[in-house]
Amino acid sequence: MNKVPLALSRRQRETPFEKRVLEHKPKGFSIYNHMTLPTAFKSLEADYAHLCKHVQLWDVACERQVEVAGPDALRLVELCTPRDLSDMRVGQGRYAPLVDEHGGVVNDPIVLKLAQERYWLSISDSDVMLWLKGLAVGMKLDVRVFEPDVSPLALQGPKADDVLASLVGEHVRSIKFFWFIEEHIAGVPVLIARSGWSGKGGYEIYMKGSENGTLLWDTMFNAGQSFNIRAGCPNLIERLETGLLSYGNDMTLENNPFECGLDRFFKLGKSAEYMSREALERIAAEGVGQKLMKLKIHQNKPIPMRSTYPVYHDDRVVGAVTSQAHSKKYGAVLSFAYVPTHLAREGQMLQVCTDEHEKLEATVCEECWNPVV
Amino acid sequence: MNKVPLALSRRQRETPFEKRVLEHKPKGFSIYNHMTLPTAFKSLEADYAHLCKHVQLWDVACERQVEVAGPDALRLVELCTPRDLSDMRVGQGRYAPLVDEHGGVVNDPIVLKLAQERYWLSISDSDVMLWLKGLAVGMKLDVRVFEPDVSPLALQGPKADDVLASLVGEHVRSIKFFWFIEEHIAGVPVLIARSGWSGKGGYEIYMKGSENGTLLWDTMFNAGQSFNIRAGCPNLIERLETGLLSYGNDMTLENNPFECGLDRFFKLGKSAEYMSREALERIAAEGVGQKLMKLKIHQNKPIPMRSTYPVYHDDRVVGAVTSQAHSKKYGAVLSFAYVPTHLAREGQMLQVCTDEHEKLEATVCEECWNPVV
């Protein structure tokens, strides 16, 4: 499958940075929110090694924003998530799983509070705008829901602070995790947030208006030259090591937050109205039959995978691997997998069957990855 | 861009037919409703020539179904479209543009009436399920909205009737355009509709359940062997010649039905409640500033295009090409383009600027394609 070219048209929206991205010759692309997203440049392994040491500029314009503005803005956003947003302050972001009326996960955005009655949801890969618009129209809320012309770049890696400080000023170093400030870079209006889809630190720069994509990219890339900057993208190895979930891969509308571990981002019982209250309280009371766990597969080389792989226990299929990548650091293939709750305990041995029909031994890891035992 | 491979994971859902499709070595893939869709096999031109003469089997599983079931099912579907659905009968399909409260096009599905209180919307590329679910939750409608496990295959081309009659029986020949029947093929439950995204005739076979994809594919492919069947896919040249619009390419939420010509599928003033009534009546009264027209570009070879190309009149940009393909039959590049209403008349000469910075002459065609003059 890796050899099949991606055929592009207007429907797979071009990002404001795509022309520059292509000059760096990405090895693969994905489509995310109807927009292109590179998946590797030199190779997953080389990109990973560079990200761990240096700094990378990522075109994540596909992290589209859904703007919710108006008197009922907070009410609508609160309605969609069990996470309490009532104490958010302007300039703050908060990771908030969106959950439907049955407790199914719709998306897992970062909610940014831009003003008292104005929010952006920086979304993963589903049409959240249609979901929120539907609710707003159905409830006759006094709110506007739309996709503003905003395209994020991410600056990720241990040298990200130095690059951005050299470009914008030392004050960017004091931006707190998930908070943001309004700035200009090369005259282009941006939000700068301390966030990003890696565990290596850095920023997301939300560019307002798509006409200056090349200017902003060039300015940031040039500022990074003395820090060994490269074009990069969310890295599969890094996200598995760090434990970042991917909507559509690791959880879908079929999963509730307790199954996939998103329940650690909220406490049941917030005071605002939210549609999943009854469903989530019932699920919490009854417990879940499966849990998304870290599963270390005892194989010291990459495993090709199209979609999922079955997980076995006592020769029966009991679950599925949803994402995986080989980690040189851990000498194993790290994965996320749904496993029955009674087997979701650290050290539990399971097997994974791949396309080559091997049964590979695998160990459930509760909280963090441990060296292969 | 054509050389960049598509990187796949579970998030870009695998179709039940994908394994077979890959054996036919498609030249390109797109992503559509978070699922793979092949875009060419031998080449656009060779696929086109074969489709015009013979019969092809298309994996269009990405035409996902949104099921709306329950006492309020018709009310919800009617709410979303200006097209009157009140007289639909069980077994009938109807093309119905979905329009939001401002008149913006959300999607352009075929609505299938399965039972008195049960509909499928066979959608183009946007998350209509979230839109309808949002409305249903917001309005507290007595309805279930979900994506059933249904995956369509299309059998398209002048020999489609012969293939399907040989496989299922002569009665399939009498299925009327956009109507459907319930059937089994090789024991697999299917709906068979006379429809499909080409002008060459044929059927769409809605497979219920994804576990028998290979069996159904093989059965249909084998039945077509003596008719020179090939694996195929929606063909860009054919759809431009036939005049089929593509959501996300030729119209988006930014466009109303009058601009993009979808108004020919409804009459304002249906009796059922629908959310775009006020907006559409206002737009109809005021008129639109631009119209999606057929624009014949006077160039007798293919033009590469990433996204859109500007349309010029008197050295000013006045519009944009949204889709285009070179047609040997017409000796020109056929396109859809938004042009100002006062220039949207047959024979109007315009220019199109491409990446090679040529200004190519182009002629507006009102209703049908004519030979280059």
Side-chain angles (χ1 to χ4, degrees):
Chain A
M1 196 67 187
N2 277 333
K3 295 291 173 56
V4 177
L6 175 61
L8 288 171
S9 65
R10 183 189 182 209
R11 184 170 57 77
Q12 296 86 32
R13 298 179 286 179
E14 188 175 355
T15 87
F17 316 111
E18 194 177 291
K19 284 185 176 60
R20 282 293 184 262
V21 165
L22 287 173
E23 293 170 7
H24 293 273
K25 303 193 191 316
K27 290 285 197 304
F29 267 97
S30 181
I31 296 295
Y32 196 98
N33 284 323
H34 313 277
M35 198 171 243
T36 55
L37 171 67
T39 56
F41 283 85
K42 292 186 188 304
S43 69
L44 277 185
E45 293 76 10
D47 291 357
Y48 167 82
H50 178 266
L51 175 61
C52 291
K53 274 195 185 169
H54 303 289
V55 60
Q56 295 181 350
L57 190 59
W58 297 359
D59 175 1
V60 287
C62 68
E63 293 172 7
R64 304 309 293 166
Q65 307 308 301
V66 178
E67 180 159 335
V68 184
D72 287 331
L74 180 59
R75 180 176 169 206
L76 176 57
V77 183
E78 286 271 32
L79 189 73
C80 295
T81 177
R83 184 155 190 184
D84 188 359
L85 306 177
S86 62
D87 61 340
M88 279 184 77
R89 289 162 58 192
V90 173
Q92 192 176 3
R94 191 167 283 174
Y95 181 66
L98 304 189
V99 178
D100 78 357
E101 77 279 20
H102 305 301
V105 181
V106 171
N107 202 283
D108 64 331
I110 297 175
V111 177
L112 306 173
K113 182 164 183 169
L114 300 170
Q116 213 47 45
E117 298 184 346
R118 188 164 165 247
Y119 295 83
W120 282 350
L121 278 60
S122 187
I123 62 171
S124 53
D125 182 29
S126 68
D127 292 345
V128 169
M129 184 184 58
L130 293 178
W131 172 236
L132 292 189
K133 261 174 75 83
L135 290 164
V137 170
M139 297 175 71
K140 300 185 196 296
L141 298 183
D142 188 2
V143 77
R144 286 207 314 139
V145 179
F146 62 100
E147 184 181 296
D149 183 11
V150 171
S151 298
L153 281 172
L155 189 71
Q156 298 286 297
K159 298 179 183 170
D161 278 39
D162 292 338
V163 172
L164 206 62
S166 78
L167 185 62
V168 179
E170 289 297 314
H171 61 289
V172 299
R173 295 186 191 270
S174 58
I175 300 174
K176 285 179 287 183
F177 190 59
F178 268 34
W179 289 67
F180 62 86
I181 61 172
E182 306 251 3
E183 266 296 345
H184 285 77
I185 298 178
V188 181
V190 297
L191 292 191
I192 299 178
R194 188 177 291 279
S195 58
W197 216 56
S198 87
K200 298 297 169 279
Y203 303 88
E204 285 175 303
I205 291 94
Y206 294 75
M207 178 178 73
K208 301 180 190 175
S210 47
E211 60 281 10
N212 293 309
T214 300
L215 172 63
L216 181 62
W217 175 279
D218 288 349
T219 302
M220 294 192 57
F221 206 83
N222 289 337
Q225 289 292 9
S226 53
F227 300 92
N228 194 17
I229 199 170
R230 283 190 196 163
C233 52
N235 182 277
L236 185 63
I237 301 169
E238 204 282 334
R239 91 159 172 92
L240 264 297
E241 287 187 357
T242 297
L244 297 169
L245 304 187
S246 162
Y247 185 75
N249 285 314
D250 305 312
M251 66 285 197
T252 72
L253 197 62
E254 303 301 311
N255 300 117
N256 65 61
F258 298 100
E259 282 176 345
C260 60
L262 288 178
D263 56 323
R264 72 179 184 275
F265 294 103
F266 60 86
K267 281 183 191 143
L268 287 179
K270 76 173 182 179
S271 55
E273 175 196 12
Y274 67 105
M275 80 179 80
S276 57
R277 183 189 300 272
E278 202 178 315
L280 294 185
E281 287 177 353
R282 184 180 44 73
I283 295 166
E286 292 175 358
V288 291
Q290 61 174 1
K291 283 193 171 182
L292 187 72
M293 300 298 287
K294 292 176 173 178
L295 188 65
K296 187 183 297 171
I297 304 171
H298 299 209
Q299 167 92 336
N300 200 358
K301 60 180 183 183
I303 303 173
M305 181 170 89
R306 165 63 185 90
S307 188
T308 62
Y309 278 134
V311 175
Y312 284 79
H313 181 246
D314 285 346
D315 290 325
R316 282 192 319 117
V317 176
V318 294
V321 170
T322 57
S323 294
Q324 52 88 14
H326 174 249
S327 162
K328 221 187 255 187
K329 179 173 166 186
Y330 289 91
V333 169
L334 308 184
S335 77
F336 292 120
Y338 282 100
V339 301
T341 304
H342 71 279
L343 300 175
R345 56 190 174 202
E346 188 151 7
Q348 174 69 48
M349 296 299 292
L350 298 166
Q351 291 85 39
V352 171
C353 180
T354 75
D355 274 347
E356 286 84 33
H357 301 293
E358 310 166 71
K359 280 226 178 145
L360 299 170
E361 295 298 314
T363 315
V364 172
C365 306
E366 182 88 47
E367 281 305 324
C368 58
W369 301 107
N370 292 315
V372 183
V373 285
Chain B
M1 196 68 184
N2 276 334
K3 294 291 173 56
V4 177
L6 175 61
L8 288 171
S9 65
R10 182 189 183 208
R11 183 170 58 77
Q12 295 86 32
R13 298 179 286 179
E14 187 174 355
T15 87
F17 316 111
E18 194 177 291
K19 284 185 176 60
R20 282 292 183 263
V21 166
L22 287 173
E23 293 171 4
H24 292 274
K25 302 194 194 314
K27 290 285 197 303
F29 268 98
S30 181
I31 297 295
Y32 196 98
N33 285 322
H34 313 276
M35 199 170 243
T36 55
L37 171 67
T39 56
F41 283 84
K42 293 186 188 303
S43 70
L44 278 185
E45 293 77 11
D47 291 358
Y48 166 83
H50 178 265
L51 174 62
C52 290
K53 274 195 184 168
H54 304 288
V55 59
Q56 294 181 351
L57 190 59
W58 298 359
D59 175 2
V60 286
C62 68
E63 292 172 7
R64 304 310 293 165
Q65 307 308 301
V66 178
E67 181 160 335
V68 184
D72 287 330
L74 180 59
R75 180 175 169 207
L76 176 57
V77 183
E78 287 270 34
L79 189 73
C80 295
T81 178
R83 184 155 190 183
D84 188 359
L85 306 176
S86 62
D87 62 340
M88 280 184 75
R89 288 161 57 191
V90 173
Q92 191 177 5
R94 190 168 284 173
Y95 182 64
L98 304 189
V99 178
D100 79 357
E101 78 278 21
H102 305 301
V105 181
V106 171
N107 202 282
D108 64 330
I110 297 175
V111 177
L112 305 173
K113 183 164 183 169
L114 299 170
Q116 212 49 42
E117 298 184 346
R118 188 164 165 247
Y119 295 83
W120 282 349
L121 277 61
S122 188
I123 62 172
S124 53
D125 182 29
S126 68
D127 292 344
V128 169
M129 184 184 59
L130 293 178
W131 172 235
L132 292 189
K133 261 174 74 82
L135 290 164
V137 170
M139 297 176 70
K140 300 185 196 298
L141 297 182
D142 188 3
V143 78
R144 285 207 316 137
V145 178
F146 61 100
E147 184 181 296
D149 183 12
V150 171
S151 298
L153 281 172
L155 190 71
Q156 297 286 296
K159 299 179 184 169
D161 277 38
D162 292 338
V163 173
L164 206 63
S166 77
L167 185 63
V168 179
E170 290 297 314
H171 61 290
V172 298
R173 296 186 191 271
S174 58
I175 301 173
K176 286 179 287 183
F177 191 58
F178 269 33
W179 288 67
F180 62 88
I181 61 172
E182 306 251 2
E183 266 297 346
H184 285 78
I185 298 179
V188 181
V190 296
L191 292 191
I192 299 177
R194 188 178 291 280
S195 57
W197 215 57
S198 86
K200 298 297 168 279
Y203 303 88
E204 285 173 304
I205 291 92
Y206 294 75
M207 178 178 72
K208 300 181 191 176
S210 47
E211 60 281 9
N212 293 310
T214 300
L215 172 64
L216 181 61
W217 175 280
D218 287 349
T219 302
M220 294 191 58
F221 206 84
N222 289 337
Q225 290 292 11
S226 52
F227 300 92
N228 193 17
I229 197 170
R230 283 191 195 163
C233 52
N235 182 276
L236 186 64
I237 301 169
E238 204 282 335
R239 91 158 171 95
L240 264 298
E241 287 186 357
T242 297
L244 297 170
L245 304 188
S246 162
Y247 185 74
N249 285 314
D250 305 314
M251 66 286 197
T252 72
L253 197 61
E254 303 301 311
N255 300 116
N256 66 62
F258 298 100
E259 281 176 346
C260 61
L262 289 177
D263 57 322
R264 71 179 185 276
F265 294 103
F266 60 87
K267 281 183 191 145
L268 286 179
K270 76 173 184 180
S271 55
E273 174 196 13
Y274 66 105
M275 80 180 82
S276 57
R277 183 189 302 271
E278 204 178 312
L280 294 185
E281 287 177 353
R282 185 180 43 74
I283 294 165
E286 291 175 359
V288 292
Q290 62 174 359
K291 282 192 171 184
L292 188 72
M293 300 298 287
K294 292 177 173 176
L295 187 66
K296 188 183 298 171
I297 304 171
H298 300 210
Q299 167 91 337
N300 201 358
K301 60 179 183 185
I303 302 172
M305 181 171 87
R306 165 63 185 91
S307 187
T308 61
Y309 278 135
V311 174
Y312 284 79
H313 181 248
D314 284 346
D315 290 325
R316 282 192 318 118
V317 176
V318 295
V321 170
T322 58
S323 293
Q324 51 89 15
H326 174 249
S327 163
K328 221 187 253 187
K329 180 172 166 187
Y330 290 91
V333 169
L334 308 184
S335 77
F336 292 120
Y338 282 100
V339 301
T341 304
H342 70 280
L343 301 175
R345 57 192 174 199
E346 189 150 5
Q348 174 68 48
M349 296 299 291
L350 298 167
Q351 292 85 40
V352 172
C353 180
T354 76
D355 275 347
E356 286 84 34
H357 301 293
E358 308 166 75
K359 280 225 177 145
L360 300 169
E361 295 298 314
T363 314
V364 173
C365 307
E366 183 89 46
E367 281 304 325
C368 57
W369 302 109
N370 291 313
V372 182
V373 284

